[in-house]
């Protein structure tokens, strides 16, 4: 099988093939793997050459990859990630920015940028990513794909370079809802399946998104309302202001990121892109007291959201503030868009809840995604909703 990489999505050190089982539900399908996930015999590069040089080849393959291989999928290589997964833009100064074939001239989104770009370009059928602060959801939206942030703890993180352990989850991409669900049948654990009955529309999102996004998504929201039979508009955060929640997520996630990587950064002195270096520099300054206060606030947020969803509610909101930013966007414009995106992505991150994004609409010729957040453990049900929306009765 010859790897075709029109999007430049694969790492220089990640171009190899591992055949899966001869039979199985994913037999004949190609899967790419984010270069944050271990494959035995290969060094996991985590988006940074210094990391690549200071770590040995993996001794075993991550369980999520092994499950796909056992189901018949063939691994076609490792894909580019933002450095140590600490970004949402999808650019990498060392290995290049994967091309977003769904939105030429625009970023693919990160940190699972290569995985999303590879699926969008047709280099593979599905691809594994990880999501801490939006790293599957955002690139899925930008590249016009289905993507999932799974329930925290639902899929083993063994063999995956951590970033923010209480946020980190495995996710994947697909071009069709049928394959999206099929991969879930392989990766997700068997569990009781709550019946999702109520659709809740997040009013908070109105102040976050670009002009035209709400109108672009209206048809998809109406389809979801028809599926559930009714919908209720709510403010997710008190007063409809998600910015304090973003700040809480920023504090907790930064403290965790420095606890995980601080010692290596100070000893290995890696060459980071300026935005990544700035994030780690700030993470180092988060005090134990600030972290503890943010954790207490997080517990209150988790209770609030879980009370609203109970075991049968689904929260509907735009995945991102708008279509993918342009490749030539710089500085304050990139950071402002990133912060607006985090106001949307922090909801599931702070609560550990599953979230899917579906390729719902186009705005000015660029894809935009619509997200659904469900109760803990409702991952399979959300995948089924995606399929029902793609194939309405």
């Amino acid at each position: 099988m010859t790897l075709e990489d029109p999007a430049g999505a694969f790492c220089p050190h990640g171009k190899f093939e591992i055949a899966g089982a001869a039979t199985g539900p994913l037999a004949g399908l190609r899967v790419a793997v984010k270069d944050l996930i271990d494959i035995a015999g290969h060094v996991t590069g985590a988006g940074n050459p210094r990391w690549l040089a200071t770590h040995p080849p993996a001794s075993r393959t991550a369980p999520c990859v092994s499950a796909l291989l056992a189901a018949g999928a063939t691994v076609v290589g490792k894909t580019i990630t933002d450095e140590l997964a600490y970004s949402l833009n999808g650019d990498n100064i060392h290995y290049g920015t994967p091309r977003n074939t769904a939105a030429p001239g625009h970023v693919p989104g990160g940190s699972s940028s290569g995985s999303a770009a590879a699926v969008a370009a047709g280099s593979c059928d599905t691809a594994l990513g990880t999501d801490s602060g939006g790293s599957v959801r955002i690139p899925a939206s930008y590249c016009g794909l289905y993507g999932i942030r799974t329930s925290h703890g639902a899929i083993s993180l063994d063999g995956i370079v951590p970033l923010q352990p209480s946020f980190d989850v495995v996710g994947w991409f697909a071009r069709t809802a049928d394959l999206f669900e099929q991969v879930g049948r392989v990766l997700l654990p068997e569990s009781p399946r709550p019946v999702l009955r109520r659709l809740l529309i997040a009013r908070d999102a109105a102040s976050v998104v670009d002009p035209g996004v709400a109108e672009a998504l209206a048809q998809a929201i109406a389809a979801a309302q028809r599926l559930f039979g009714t919908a209720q508009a709510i403010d997710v955060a008190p007063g409809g202001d998600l910015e304090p929640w973003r700040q809480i997520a920023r504090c907790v996630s930064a403290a965790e990121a420095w606890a995980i990587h601080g010692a290596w950064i100070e000893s290995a002195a890696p060459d980071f892109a300026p935005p990544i270096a700035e994030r780690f520099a700030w993470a180092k300054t988060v005090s134990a007291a600030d972290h503890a206060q943010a954790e207490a606030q997080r517990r209150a947020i988790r209770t609030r959201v879980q009370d609203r969803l109970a075991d049968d509610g689904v929260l509907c909101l735009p995945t991102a503030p708008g279509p993918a930013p342009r490749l030539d966007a710089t500085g304050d414009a990139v950071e402002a868009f990133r912060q607006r995106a985090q106001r949307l992505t922090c909801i599931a991150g702070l609560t550990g809840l599953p979230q899917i994004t579906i390729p719902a609409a186009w705005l000015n010729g660029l894809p935009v995604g619509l997200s659904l957040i469900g109760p803990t453990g409702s991952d399979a049900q959300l995948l089924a909703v995606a399929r029902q929306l793609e194939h309405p009765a």
Side-chain angles (χ1 to χ4, degrees):
M1 187 182 297
T2 302
L3 175 64
E4 296 183 1
D5 186 19
F10 290 81
C11 308
H13 54 277
K15 297 178 180 179
F16 56 85
E17 182 179 308
I18 302 174
T23 61
L26 302 181
L29 297 179
R30 302 158 300 162
V31 59
V33 178
K34 182 178 183 177
D35 195 27
L36 212 69
I37 304 173
D38 285 350
I39 294 178
H42 299 272
V43 180
T44 299
N48 184 272
R50 186 67 176 146
W51 184 278
L52 187 73
T54 57
H55 289 78
S59 60
R60 59 189 295 267
T61 297
C64 57
V65 178
S66 295
L68 296 179
L69 288 167
T74 292
V75 169
V76 294
K78 301 285 285 288
T79 54
I80 293 171
T81 174
D82 295 32
E83 296 177 80
L84 298 185
Y86 212 176
S87 181
L88 284 179
N89 216 41
D91 43 14
N92 188 302
I93 62 169
H94 308 288
Y95 303 122
T97 301
R99 288 182 287 282
N100 183 348
T101 56
H106 295 255
V107 298
S111 62
S112 305
S113 54
S115 290
V119 174
S123 296
C124 54
D125 300 293
T126 186
L128 287 174
T130 63
D131 189 306
S132 303
S135 293
V136 167
R137 292 164 287 167
I138 293 297
S141 181
Y142 289 178
C143 294
L145 301 171
Y146 290 91
I148 183 170
R149 172 196 167 81
T150 51
S151 293
H152 190 263
I155 298 175
S156 172
L157 291 170
D158 289 350
I160 298 176
V161 177
L163 175 65
Q164 298 149 352
S166 74
F167 293 82
D168 296 347
V169 300
V170 173
W172 62 90
F173 302 92
R175 292 186 297 275
T176 70
D178 289 339
L179 180 55
F180 191 45
E181 185 178 36
Q182 194 175 4
V183 174
R185 292 194 190 105
V186 172
L187 291 177
L188 291 169
E190 291 289 338
S191 62
R193 298 191 169 191
V195 177
L196 303 177
R197 296 186 175 89
R198 297 179 297 117
L199 185 68
L200 307 172
I201 310 295
R203 277 191 302 243
D204 315 51
S207 62
V208 176
V209 299
D210 292 344
V213 169
E215 292 80 1
L217 293 175
Q219 186 173 348
I221 294 172
Q225 184 171 345
R226 288 193 297 272
L227 182 63
F228 284 90
T230 185
Q232 176 188 1
I234 67 165
D235 285 332
V236 182
D241 184 5
L242 287 162
E243 174 59 16
W245 287 20
R246 184 191 76 82
Q247 294 284 2
I248 292 164
R250 180 183 183 229
C251 179
V252 174
S253 62
E256 292 185 8
W258 187 255
I260 290 291
H261 291 305
W264 176 80
I265 290 170
E266 295 195 323
S267 64
D271 178 20
F272 283 139
I276 306 292
E278 289 167 9
R279 280 169 211 141
F280 277 116
W282 186 82
K284 184 178 180 179
T285 70
V286 176
S287 69
D290 287 343
H291 185 197
Q293 181 182 27
E295 283 285 12
Q297 294 169 317
R298 181 188 195 178
R299 289 192 290 271
I301 290 168
R302 185 180 291 119
T303 297
R304 176 184 173 90
V305 175
Q306 290 177 341
D307 285 349
R308 300 307 296 267
L309 293 183
D311 61 359
D312 66 345
V314 175
L315 182 67
C316 179
L317 69 164
T319 306
R326 289 189 55 83
L327 281 166
D328 56 7
T330 58
D332 292 345
V334 172
E335 181 60 22
F337 193 90
R338 176 177 177 270
Q339 290 183 17
R340 285 195 289 141
Q342 289 174 326
R343 291 175 203 160
L344 300 173
T345 62
C346 73
I347 300 169
L350 286 166
T351 56
L353 298 177
Q355 178 177 343
I356 63 168
T357 178
I358 63 175
W362 294 80
L363 179 61
N364 301 323
L366 304 172
V368 289
L370 181 69
S371 273
L372 300 172
I373 298 175
T376 297
S378 65
D379 308 57
Q381 290 79 354
L382 292 175
L383 297 175
V385 168
R387 173 177 45 78
Q388 290 171 300
L389 289 172
E390 185 173 270
H391 305 290

